[in-house]
């Protein structure tokens, strides 16, 4: 059910009534229109409500649906009350004429959203009035959905919208709407098939909502790629082929790899006619996007989508080529036809049903993993060529669709799957036309096979396939099985250390002693035994996959076990029988070379190590290893068959030579330190005591009742060695922590982290910020080609000042800096006074040679300069040199001089006064020019002059009429001090002053009197203009002078808020860090943000704010924690603040969705400003609307809409509120809070899962849909609706929630944000730099996930919260920094990471969702990305806020969740495959940063 406002009762008080769920979609439009037009036409509103009542009664005449009877009663009562009151307000003679006139009025006003409702009501009212013939010729079809749009208004007449006028949008729309030469499925409807998506829908039967959603999706992708081309396209009306090829490559990279892996050729065929190639490419891309957009939970199975696309693309080619079936002689048509929702019903639903039924066997995490198939098992079925036995149309009697122990009582309601497709006959490969070409390769596709109906006999013959490739068995042996190479190293290392200590070795050279060397070689026997254990574990844990295991894999296990057992037998026998070494060495001279004598055992060991030598050689040449693993050559496949299981993922993951060298060096140093420490401080000290214990002969034990038969000292030895052995095996984790801290800190220093930590350091380096800002965050006027490492380093670090005048212009920096300071003020981090002190002036009118810095840099510098000048003894040139050494001091003096000169010019209007002031300034400038200031002026009187100016600035700032007299006296005092006390030769100025003492008469000549004194005014004569204008540049100059002279606060206290200081210092630091150059907004990568939301707090309610159940209300607690921010809030709003503002103020300081949305929408604000800066030069910034710092408000409307259009094309934000529909039904205030958020931020979108009941055969059935909404007229407006095959939340909740909403995201990058995060405007400016990380690297080395730094903002809430903050900060700085580089094992840890969206949407999404095993769902996205040859980096020049748990219970639950998730990771196939496929040292990094940390903590 849904809430609507229905006015009930005599008082017309609006009440919220519930709309029944079975009626909501049909009734809601009429009630909303009635509420909207109530004030304009009460009678038409009454008719809309009356029609809603009739419609409800027709749909459910017996009121069987839940809440229908109550709804009818309330609405009928309202209709009875309104019937008479609205009748008197009717303008026309009849209701039909009334609504006819209103309908025509709205039609002329182009209010399209009202037309469908008013048209239907008009049609109903005019029935029975004799006007049926008139309305029969009119169409009142519901076209409201046609006019609804998300970002792009694609309805007719929308081409004048600002976003549709962008050239890149125009060419993309033109390409997508090109349907020339395409064959139509139905010639009657070909006029409605105006674009390739509608054409595709007519052939394959996709949903309308999916078609509309993916149409906009593809247009935006093409437009952004077209805009980013360099060099630009030569044609302004045609979509560039390079953009299409780039998107084609990204979309089908995984599909082509899948085809290559299975030995099949791609089904992407391209025509020989050049003019049709681009159109066909777009058709294939559109087909994949439509499959992906409607696949629901199948999106988590990427190779399943490849299988579906493989067959449907073949059908698409058959349609395009006009191929004829050799059997039927008819043209080839899609197997499932183009009926409404046929793809959904006949392809998606059967596979979804299998996923759902398998998930029921999980029993909410109680069942063992081996008893049911998760997403990975079902997806990996398509890693084998056996998947083609499913056929096309799919055989529903295939074992893939069989689920043992089905839950017959499951409440899954899905449409029936029809296996009988009447229009389909068995198809053979059509004859391909001459000259056809394929994308990358040619194809002779498999002929789709006839579908088979599932019958009871077929079902009885089916078998459950079981697990695929891997079984998640709960056992600690997983740690040894996955990381066997590490445990082997530790065991063998322990054996070698014990042997060395037992023989008392002091030097490694002593290992060459024949006896010791022979003992050391015994480690290979241990290695052989460990190898047998490892193979046995592999076979035991893989036993339950035998049904899906191919023969070659079974043979591989058998051969490996046989060889391992053989070596475990041969090595000990040869070792025991090898006696020749001693006699041989006895006959040899005791020289260095004579010590070596090959024994049989050594020869056998050499043979045993042959495979290891080959592996070591390939380790140092990673490119060769990658080629061997990914090649299709038979010899390479044979080698790969022995080295690794035949899996689709985990191939070619090797890093380059440089990263390999870095992390190998790190681990060699660490392991050397570990083994040296273990030898000298753990093993060696125990050898002598052990020998002594062994010599002691004890015949009787005191505790003999426990071990009555023991006659040796083995127990004592075990007690001594056991703790040391445990420490030996776990202390590598300690060594890693130590080395990680050291090397991580060094990496931070290299990357300039922490260079600016305090506001004092910010002030000292503020003068260099504009240059760094222009270098990093401002697009260069001339985009240069990519340079090598050395030239780039020389230009950036050494020669950056040569020929780079544009880098020093502070204009754009000043504008952005002021926006940052304004955002601080809007967030109440600083006061009004602090904002004024920190704002940079934008006016060029009185600029001198120096930059006009913010006042907080200058105030103390000016007072210091006054004292220095007043007490200076020396020459003027020395004084000038001393002042110029301090840039801020020089700026303060220049500011004072120019401000006073400008203010006096506007303040003084008397002719004599003007000449006097001009003469004084002339004397000053002459003295400065002649370097004789100290000679011409007595500077010891300067402090008294400054005091007068200080008081004058205060009076001018107050600006009240009653202060006019005091202003006059102050001006006279200033002139007296300058002329009488300071100016040595004041004769010329005195002449001007004395010349004013003349007699003048009034207008009629009656009275004569002397002219007034300087600056004084009498009757009709006024020599000063006071009060000054309240607005304008002069007011800003007065304020700046007042702040310069009147600021008494200590400089170190500005700003006083610690959060403001931290943010400014980090922003300043980041400008000196290495980040990609910023492109223009039009050329940047487009991106989206997705935030999963369950039922957390959106915004604090008034009751929650003032409730004192915990002895203190939330509001009072916030006021105690943030007293300065509360004070600033009261100052900003004054006494007229509302409860609504207080709710937002408190919510922005909690872990609420409101805080997250506000922070993320800063991206849009930053994009608008950056787009504005891209379109204007520095001079226009001074002259234009940004001159006073309010460019957004005063910007011309046309430019504003253009900026909005560009921001919409580049950025979108979707919140996945899975329970929003349920919250609306239950009247949960969270639903209205979410609608208020969308109203506050119009670009915000909300996706939710709608669970709706429909009446079929008088029985309710549930229908699930993914719905995207936006705010319109303060109500939620549906944009897209895509039906789901069943409840989507069948696995872990958060990834399923993300998966259902990801189809509504846009762009080439996707940022994952939790609902307890925050963002900052100054960080949002760096987003386009971060996105350049995807394109600054070569294609094969480009990152697929960008990790970002987090700041924990909850540290001040409590001491526990502070501890969590420090813990998390250490992980997201030193920890993740070092994981990414040099260790190359950083994965995805949720929160602010940015995904290569096209890479991940074709590879299973941004998280995994299998129940229980994917409890830590985020990290599996990182595992999946690495296994599929992705790269993950970490960037610390940008940060995002993050809230953490603040209470003991919350922290305990969080830590328990992380630990439980890590235990499930230990069992997972992802960790197993990473550990097996990583090289040795990268495997060590993986272990000690994932499962090893928790295992060693347990030990």
């Amino acid at each position: 059910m849904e809430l609507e406002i229905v006015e009930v009762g005599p008082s017309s008080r609006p009440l919220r009534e519930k709309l029944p769920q079975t009626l909501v979609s049909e009734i809601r439009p009429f009630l909303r229109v009635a509420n909207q037009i109530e004030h304009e036409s009460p009678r038409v509103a009454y008719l809309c409500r009356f029609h809603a009542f009739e419609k409800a009664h027709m749909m459910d005449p017996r009121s069987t649906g839940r809440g229908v009877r109550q709804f009818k009663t309330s609405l009928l009562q309202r209709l009875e009350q309104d019937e008479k009151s609205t009748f008197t307000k009717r303008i026309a003679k009849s209701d039909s004429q009334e609504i006819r006139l209103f309908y025509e009025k709205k039609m002329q006003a182009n209010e399209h959203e009202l037309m469908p409702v008013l048209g239907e009501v008009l049609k109903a009212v005019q029935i029975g009035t004799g006007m049926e013939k008139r309305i029969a010729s009119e169409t009142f079809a519901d076209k409201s959905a046609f006019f609804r749009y998300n970002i792009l208004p694609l309805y007719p007449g929308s081409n004048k919208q600002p976003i549709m006028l962008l050239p890149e949008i125009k060419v993309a729309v033109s390409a997508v709407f090109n349907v020339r030469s395409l064959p139509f499925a139905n010639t009657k409807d070909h006029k409605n098939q105006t674009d390739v998506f509608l054409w595709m829908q007519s052939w394959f039967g996709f949903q309308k909502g999916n078609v509309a959603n993916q149409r906009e999706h593809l247009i935006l992708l093409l437009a952004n790629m077209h805009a980013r081309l360099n060099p630009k396209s030569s044609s302004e009306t045609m979509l560039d082929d390079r953009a299409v090829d780039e998107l084609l490559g990204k979309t089908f990279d995984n599909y082509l790899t899948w085809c290559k892996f299975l030995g099949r050729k791609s089904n992407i065929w391209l025509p020989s006619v050049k003019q049709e190639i681009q159109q066909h490419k777009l058709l294939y891309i559109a087909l994949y996007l439509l499959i992906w957009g409607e696949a629901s939970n199948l999106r988590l199975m990427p190779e399943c989508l490849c299988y579906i696309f493989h067959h449907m693309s073949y059908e698409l080619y058959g349609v395009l080529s006009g191929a004829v079936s050799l059997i039927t002689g008819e043209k080839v048509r899609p197997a499932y036809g183009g009926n409404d929702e046929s793809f959904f019903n006949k392809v998606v639903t059967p596979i979804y049903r299998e996923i759902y039924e398998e998930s029921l066997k999980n029993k909410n995490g109680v069942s063992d993993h081996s008893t049911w198939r998760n997403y990975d098992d079902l997806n990996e079925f398509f890693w084998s060529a056996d998947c083609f036995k499913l056929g096309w149309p799919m055989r529903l009697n295939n074992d893939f669709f069989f689920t043992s122990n089905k839950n017959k009582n499951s409440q899954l309601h899905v449409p029936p799957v029809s296996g009988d497709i009447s229009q389909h006959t068995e198809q053979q490969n059509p004859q391909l036309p001459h000259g056809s070409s394929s994308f990358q390769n040619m194809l002779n596709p498999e002929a789709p096979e006839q579908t088979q109906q599932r019958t009871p006999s077929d079902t009885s013959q089916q078998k459950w396939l079981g697990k695929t490739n891997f079984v998640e068995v709960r056992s600690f042996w997983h740690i040894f099985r996955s990381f066997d190479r590490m445990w082997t190293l530790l065991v063998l290392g322990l054996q070698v250390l014990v042997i060395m200590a037992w023989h008392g070795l002091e030097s490694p050279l002593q290992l060459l002693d024949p006896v010791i060397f022979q003992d050391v070689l015994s480690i290979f026997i241990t290695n052989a035994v460990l190898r047998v254990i490892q193979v046995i574990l592999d076979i035991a844990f893989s036993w339950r996959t035998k049904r899906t295991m191919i023969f070659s894999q079974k043979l591989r296990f058998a051969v490996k076990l046989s060889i391992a057992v053989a070596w475990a037998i041969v090595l000990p026998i040869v070792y025991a029988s090898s006696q020749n070494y001693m006699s041989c060495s006895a006959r040899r001279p005791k020289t260095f070379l004579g010590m070596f004598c090959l024994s049989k055992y050594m020869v056998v060991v050499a043979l045993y190590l042959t495979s290891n030598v080959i592996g070591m050689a390939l380790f140092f040449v990673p490119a060769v290893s990658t080629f061997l693993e990914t090649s299709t050559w038979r010899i390479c496949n044979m080698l790969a068959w022995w080295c690794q299981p035949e899996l689709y993922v985990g191939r070619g993951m090797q890093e380059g030579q440089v990263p390999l060298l870095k992390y190998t060096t790190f681990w060699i140093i660490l392991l050397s330190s570990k083994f040296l420490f273990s030898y000298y401080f753990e093993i060696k000290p125990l050898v002598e005591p052990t020998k002594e214990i062994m010599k002691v002969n004890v015949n009787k034990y005191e505790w003999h009742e426990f071990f009555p038969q023991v006659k040796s000292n083995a127990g004592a030895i075990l007690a001594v060695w056991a703790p040391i052995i445990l420490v030996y095996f776990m202390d590598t984790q300690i060594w890693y922590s130590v080395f990680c801290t050291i090397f991580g800190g060094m990496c931070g220093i290299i990357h300039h982290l922490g260079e600016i930590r305090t506001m004092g350091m910010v002030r000292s380096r503020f003068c260099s910020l504009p240059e760094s800002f222009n270098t990093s965050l401002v697009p260069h006027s001339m985009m240069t080609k990519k340079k090598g490492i050395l030239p780039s380093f020389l230009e950036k670090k050494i020669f950056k000042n040569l020929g780079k005048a544009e880098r020093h212009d502070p204009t754009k920096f000043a504008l952005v800096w002021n926006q940052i300071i304004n955002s601080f003020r809007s967030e109440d981090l600083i006061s009004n006074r602090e904002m004024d002190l920190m704002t940079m002036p934008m006016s060029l009118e009185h600029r001198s040679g120096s930059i006009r810095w913010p006042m907080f840099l200058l105030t103390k510098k000016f007072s210091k300069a006054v004292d220095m000048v007043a007490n200076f003894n020396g020459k003027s040139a020395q004084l000038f040199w001393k002042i110029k050494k301090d840039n801020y001091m020089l700026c303060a003096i220049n500011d004072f001089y120019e401000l006073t000169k400008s203010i006096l010019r506007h303040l003084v209007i008397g002719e004599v006064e003007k000449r006097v002031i001009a003469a004084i300034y002339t004397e000053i400038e002459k003295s400065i020019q002649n370097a004789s200031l100290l000679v011409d002026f007595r500077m010891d009187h300067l402090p008294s002059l400054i005091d007068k100016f200080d008081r004058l600035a205060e009076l001018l700032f107050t600006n009240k009429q009653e202060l006019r007299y005091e202003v006059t006296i102050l001006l006279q005092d200033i002139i007296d001090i300058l002329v009488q006390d300071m100016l040595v030769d004041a004769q010329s100025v005195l002449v001007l002053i004395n010349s004013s003492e003349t007699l003048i008469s009034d207008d009629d000549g009656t009275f004569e009197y002397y002219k007034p004194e300087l600056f004084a005014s009498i009757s009709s004569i006024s020599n000063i203009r006071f009060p000054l204008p309240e607005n304008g540049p002069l007011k800003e100059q007065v304020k700046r002078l007042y702040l310069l002279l009147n600021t008494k606060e200590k400089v170190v206290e500005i700003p006083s808020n610690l959060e403001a200081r931290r943010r400014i210092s980090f922003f300043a630091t980041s400008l000196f860090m290495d980040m990609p150059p910023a492109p223009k907004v039009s050329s940047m990568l487009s991106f989206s943000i997705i935030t999963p939301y369950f039922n957390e707090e959106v915004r604090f309610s008034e009751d929650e704010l003032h409730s004192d159940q915990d002895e203190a209300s939330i509001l009072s607690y916030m006021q105690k924690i943030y007293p300065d921010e509360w004070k600033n809030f009261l100052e900003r709003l004054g006494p007229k603040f509302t409860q609504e503002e207080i709710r937002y103020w408190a919510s922005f300081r909690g872990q609420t969705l409101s805080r997250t949305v506000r922070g993320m929408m800063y991206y849009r604000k930053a994009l608008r400003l950056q787009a504005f800066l891209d379109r204007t030069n520095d001079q226009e910034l001074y002259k234009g609307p940004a001159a006073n710092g309010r460019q957004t408000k005063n910007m011309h409307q046309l430019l504003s809409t253009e900026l909005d259009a560009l921001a919409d094309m580049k950025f979108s934000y979707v919140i996945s509120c899975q329970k929003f529909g349920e919250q609306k039904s239950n009247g949960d205030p969270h639903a209205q809070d979410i609608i208020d958020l969308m109203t506050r931020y119009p670009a915000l979108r909300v996706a939710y899962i709608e669970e709706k009941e429909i009446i079929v055969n008088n029985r309710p059935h549930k229908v699930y849909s993914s719905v995207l909404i936006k705010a319109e007229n303060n109500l939620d407006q549906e944009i897209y609706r895509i039906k789901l095959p069943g409840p989507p939340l069948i696995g872990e909740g958060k990834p399923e929630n993300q998966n259902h909403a990801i189809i509504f995201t846009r762009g080439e990058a996707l940022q994952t944000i939790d609902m307890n995060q925050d963002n900052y405007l100054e960080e949002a400016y760096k987003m386009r730099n971060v996105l350049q990380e995807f394109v600054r690297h070569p294609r094969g080395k480009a990152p697929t996930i960008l990790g970002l730094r987090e700041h924990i903002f909850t540290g001040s809430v409590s001491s526990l919260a502070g501890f969590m903050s420090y813990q998390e900060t250490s992980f997201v700085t030193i920890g993740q920094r070092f994981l990414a580089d040099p260790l190359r094992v950083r994965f995805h840890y949720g929160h602010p990471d940015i995904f290569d969206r096209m890479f991940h949407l074709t590879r299973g999404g941004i998280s995994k969702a299998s129940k229980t095993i994917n409890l830590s769902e985020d990290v599996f996205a990182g595992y999946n990305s690495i296994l599929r040859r992705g790269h993950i980096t970490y960037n610390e020049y940008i940060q995002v806020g993050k809230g953490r748990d603040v209470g003991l219970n919350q922290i305990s639950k969080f830590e328990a969740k992380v630990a439980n998730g890590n235990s499930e990771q230990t069992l997972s196939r992802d960790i197993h495959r990473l550990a097996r496929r990583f090289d040795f040292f990268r495997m060590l990094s993986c272990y000690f940063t994932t499962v090893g940390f928790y295992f060693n903590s347990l030990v």
Side-chain angles (χ1 to χ4, degrees), residues 723-762:
I724 296 300
I725 298 299
L726 285 177
V727 172
Y728 170 83
F729 280 109
M730 62 81 60
D731 67 352
T732 311
Q733 188 72 52
I734 301 175
W735 283 101
Y736 171 78
S737 300
V738 173
F739 276 74
C740 177
T741 304
I742 296 172
F743 284 90
M746 293 172 60
C747 291
I749 294 173
I750 294 173
H751 292 101
H752 302 280
L753 280 167
E755 280 193 2
I756 302 177
R757 299 181 301 276
T758 64
M759 283 304 298
M761 301 175 75
V762 171

Side-chain angles (χ1 to χ4, degrees), residues 347-359:
V347 178
V348 175
T349 300
I351 302 177
Y352 169 83
R353 180 189 283 116
E354 189 64 25
I355 300 172
Y356 182 84
E357 290 174 348
E358 289 286 352
S359 69

Side-chain angles (χ1 to χ4, degrees), residues 962 997 1227 1244 1282:
E962 57 267 23
E997 298 178 0
L1244 178 64
I1282 299 174

Side-chain angles (χ1 to χ4, degrees), residues 65-79:
R66 183 183 296 273
V68 174
R69 183 173 289 104
Q70 295 89 326
F71 169 73
K72 288 182 179 180
T73 303
S74 300
L75 186 55
L76 186 59
Q77 181 184 3
R78 171 64 189 271
L79 292 173

Side-chain angles (χ1 to χ4, degrees), residues 164-176:
M164 303 303 292
L165 296 176
L166 296 175
E168 50 268 29
I169 294 292
K170 283 183 178 180
V171 297
V173 170
S174 175
V176 171

Side-chain angles (χ1 to χ4, degrees), residues 1004-1023:
D1004 56 5
T1006 306
F1007 297 97
E1008 291 185 350
Y1009 47 85
Y1010 285 99
K1011 272 189 175 183
E1013 296 293 333
L1014 284 177
F1015 307 108
S1017 302
I1018 59 170
S1019 63
S1020 60
I1021 300 177
S1022 178
N1023 291 324

Side-chain angles (χ1 to χ4, degrees), residues 479 482-483 486 667 733 736 1371 1379 1383 1385-1389 1419-1420 1422-1423 1458-1459 1461-1463 1465-1466 1468 1470-1472 1474-1475 1478 1482-1497:
I479 297 178
S482 300
F483 300 94
M486 180 200 68
W667 277 109
Q733 188 72 52
Y736 171 78
F1371 174 67
L1379 291 180
L1383 298 186
V1385 290
R1386 186 195 184 273
F1387 302 110
H1388 170 53
Y1389 307 103
V1419 74
F1420 284 93
Y1423 295 159
V1458 173
N1462 203 273
S1463 66
Q1465 293 172 40
T1466 307
S1468 70
D1470 302 83
I1471 279 289
H1472 174 73
L1474 286 172
F1478 277 157
R1482 201 173 175 197
M1483 178 269 298
L1484 291 178
S1485 303
C1486 178
Y1487 174 78
F1488 288 106
T1489 57
T1490 53
V1491 299
F1493 172 80
Y1494 289 90
F1495 181 75
N1496 289 322
S1497 299

Side-chain angles (χ1 to χ4, degrees), residues 22-80:
T22 54
L23 307 177
V24 60
S25 59
E26 288 78 11
I27 302 301
R28 177 175 62 182
F30 298 94
L31 297 179
R32 283 190 169 179
V33 170
N35 293 334
Q36 186 176 345
I37 65 175
E38 178 79 29
H39 66 285
E40 190 173 356
S41 180
R43 188 61 180 178
V44 176
Y46 164 79
L47 295 175
C48 291
R49 292 193 181 100
F50 188 83
H51 183 71
F53 179 82
E54 287 184 327
K55 199 175 183 70
H57 187 68
M58 291 174 62
M59 293 177 63
D60 194 357
R62 298 182 180 180
S63 301
T64 55
R66 183 183 296 273
V68 174
R69 183 173 289 104
Q70 295 89 326
F71 169 73
K72 288 182 179 180
T73 303
S74 300
L75 186 55
L76 186 59
Q77 181 184 3
R78 171 64 189 271
L79 292 173
E80 290 174 352

